Amino acid sequence: MKRFHASNIIFCLSIIVTGLILLLLSTNSWSYSQFDISSALSMIGSFLVVAAIVSFYFENFAKFQMFEEVFERVIGSASAFRAGVFEHYQNSKDINFSEKIRKSKSLTTFFTYSDGFLKRYKEEIEEHIKKGGSIKFYFIADNAPIIEMMKKSGWNQESISANYAYLKNFANEHDQNENVQVIFCDAVPRYSAVVFDHEMYIIEQTNSKGQRAVPAMKIDGGGYLAEFYRDDLKRLEG
């Protein structure tokens, strides 16, 4: 139960009583020269009563509610900061990785079987490789149970096969480069990831069929979320 300060109650009551007295006095027809004293007393009295009530409500109810909301937002922001969350994107397709690929010394990605990233950033990836940058691409193996289940559930088999053909061709082209690894693993995909030297992007995946815009978040490489995702990706090699 909320406890009210006695001083605040006494102050508000005194203002209200003063306002009521002025309102009572305004019932008499008083005037001086052309100035209507009764109307002035009525307006002042009404203002004091309303102001006292509003002040009491704000001090004892609204202010605490506002403080609680601010406190919750600050705590929530601090939690997101410790996790390392930088930004959030409504549509992952809006993110342009071109400059990050060129400037980063390392590039790691995880996609179920999509070749979209390799195709969209083909030039940047080749430039990254020529400069001696390290690359590690994770994909679900085409013979993994989850892929077979997706085919049986109605995912487009021709599209899946075409994607794998492109991925395997890329892997064969760079098979002799020790800085480039294309790893096909057995896993149940829960997210997609693009990882650079000091930051990463986690891209959501849908459980339903069909393609649609999906959100993504940018994470600082030093936060505990990044540590979780890095460890999760590393374990795919086991």
Side-chain angles (χ1 to χ4, degrees):
M1 182 176 179
K2 187 182 291 298
R3 297 180 62 183
F4 305 116
H5 293 290
S7 59
N8 180 255
I9 295 176
I10 294 172
F11 175 77
C12 290
L13 286 176
S14 63
I15 296 297
I16 291 174
V17 169
T18 302
L20 291 175
I21 292 174
L22 292 177
L23 287 173
L24 182 63
L25 292 174
S26 69
T27 58
N28 297 318
S29 299
W30 291 345
S31 62
Y32 178 76
S33 186
Q34 295 183 345
F35 181 71
D36 190 345
I37 297 177
S38 297
S39 297
L41 292 175
S42 176
M43 288 188 292
I44 296 173
S46 299
F47 172 79
L48 290 177
V49 171
V50 173
I53 294 173
V54 171
S55 175
F56 181 82
Y57 175 79
F58 177 78
E59 286 294 328
N60 295 283
F61 296 98
K63 185 171 70 172
F64 292 98
Q65 182 178 353
M66 181 178 68
F67 175 78
E68 289 174 357
E69 291 177 357
V70 171
F71 183 77
E72 289 177 358
R73 288 182 178 273
V74 170
I75 293 299
S77 297
S79 176
F81 177 78
R82 289 194 299 271
V85 178
F86 264 112
E87 297 179 60
H88 197 272
Y89 304 85
Q90 186 173 357
N91 186 352
S92 61
K93 297 292 185 182
D94 295 336
I95 307 172
N96 190 323
F97 295 111
S98 296
E99 285 303 308
K100 297 183 182 297
I101 296 173
R102 289 193 175 100
K103 294 178 180 179
S104 182
K105 294 180 180 179
S106 64
L107 170 62
T108 301
T109 70
F110 172 82
F111 292 98
T112 303
Y113 60 80
S114 173
D115 60 4
F117 185 88
L118 273 69
K119 287 182 175 179
R120 182 178 181 184
Y121 300 106
K122 180 179 180 180
E123 181 180 332
E124 292 87 344
I125 291 172
E126 293 298 332
E127 182 180 333
H128 179 89
I129 294 173
K130 289 178 181 178
K131 289 182 178 180
S134 66
I135 279 184
K136 188 178 288 187
F137 291 153
Y138 294 96
F139 299 100
I140 303 298
D142 57 349
N143 61 350
I146 189 66
I147 299 299
E148 294 302 318
M149 185 201 70
M150 292 172 68
K151 291 178 179 179
K152 292 178 181 178
S153 299
W155 264 261
N156 191 304
Q157 296 191 33
E158 292 184 2
S159 175
I160 293 175
S161 298
N163 276 257
Y164 276 113
Y166 188 90
L167 299 180
K168 291 180 178 180
N169 182 62
F170 176 89
N172 292 332
E173 286 181 356
H174 300 281
D175 184 52
Q176 301 302 314
N177 191 331
E178 61 182 13
N179 289 334
V180 179
Q181 297 181 62
V182 180
I183 301 169
F184 293 97
C185 54
D186 184 7
V188 177
R190 304 294 180 87
Y191 59 88
S192 295
V194 180
V195 184
F196 298 103
D197 297 339
H198 306 295
E199 62 189 28
M200 66 173 61
Y201 295 77
I202 301 301
I203 304 168
E204 297 292 342
Q205 293 195 20
T206 59
N207 292 320
S208 55
K209 301 176 186 177
Q211 295 183 346
R212 66 203 65 194
V214 294
M217 61 179 174
K218 179 181 177 182
I219 300 175
D220 175 67
Y224 65 77
L225 274 179
E227 182 180 351
F228 166 81
Y229 287 116
R230 274 197 302 266
D231 179 65
D232 188 52
L233 293 174
K234 186 67 177 178
R235 292 171 65 184
L236 291 175
E237 300 177 33

